[in-house]
Amino acid sequence: MAELIGPRLYSCYNCRNNVALHDDIISKAFQGKNSRAFLFSHAMNIDVGPKEDRHLMTGLHTVADVYCSDCHEVLGWKYERAYEESQKYKEGKVILEKSKIVKDNC
């Protein structure tokens, strides 16, 4: 009998709440505050904090921290606005730090 294989997911490392689909990864070549990070086109089961301007490695961005909707652990941030034209592709995308998520069903 064939095994049923569900979607490959990433979950909060603290409570295992599903937060992103593997298929939504845009890049694995990002740096978070504390660890390497993945850029996702979408995330789920997250809460978005207040917007603030931050000077990141690629310039000034308006970002908002994202939190697990279950345990409220900070998982990364959402790019709300990029001020440099070359960085506009990040707008609306979510960074999740590799140290804050775990692979499930992979």
Side-chain angles (χ1 to χ4, degrees), residues 35-53:
S35 67
R36 286 184 44 227
F38 299 159
L39 180 67
F40 288 87
S41 59
H42 301 94
M44 57 190 163
N45 300 320
I46 59 167
D47 294 326
V48 180
K51 297 176 187 177
E52 64 179 60
D53 286 342

Side-chain angles (χ1 to χ4, degrees), residues 2-18:
E3 284 186 45
L4 295 177
I5 299 174
R8 295 183 299 168
L9 300 167
Y10 286 90
S11 301
C12 171
Y13 81 103
N14 190 47
C15 70
R16 296 290 211 239
N17 185 22
N18 295 333

Side-chain angles (χ1 to χ4, degrees), residues 63-78:
V63 299
D65 285 339
V66 295
Y67 304 84
C68 173
S69 62
D70 279 354
C71 72
H72 308 292
E73 180 72 29
V74 176
L75 302 176
W77 64 83
K78 181 177 182 179

Side-chain angles (χ1 to χ4, degrees), residues 15 19 21-22 27 30-31 33 39 42 45 55 58 61 78 92-93 95 97 100 105-106:
C15 70
V19 293
L21 296 171
H22 178 81
S27 175
F30 277 73
Q31 181 63 43
K33 288 181 187 174
L39 180 67
H42 301 94
N45 300 320
H55 289 279
T58 55
H61 298 272
K78 181 177 182 179
K93 311 295 189 298
I95 286 283
E97 293 200 43
K100 302 289 185 104
N105 251 2
C106 292

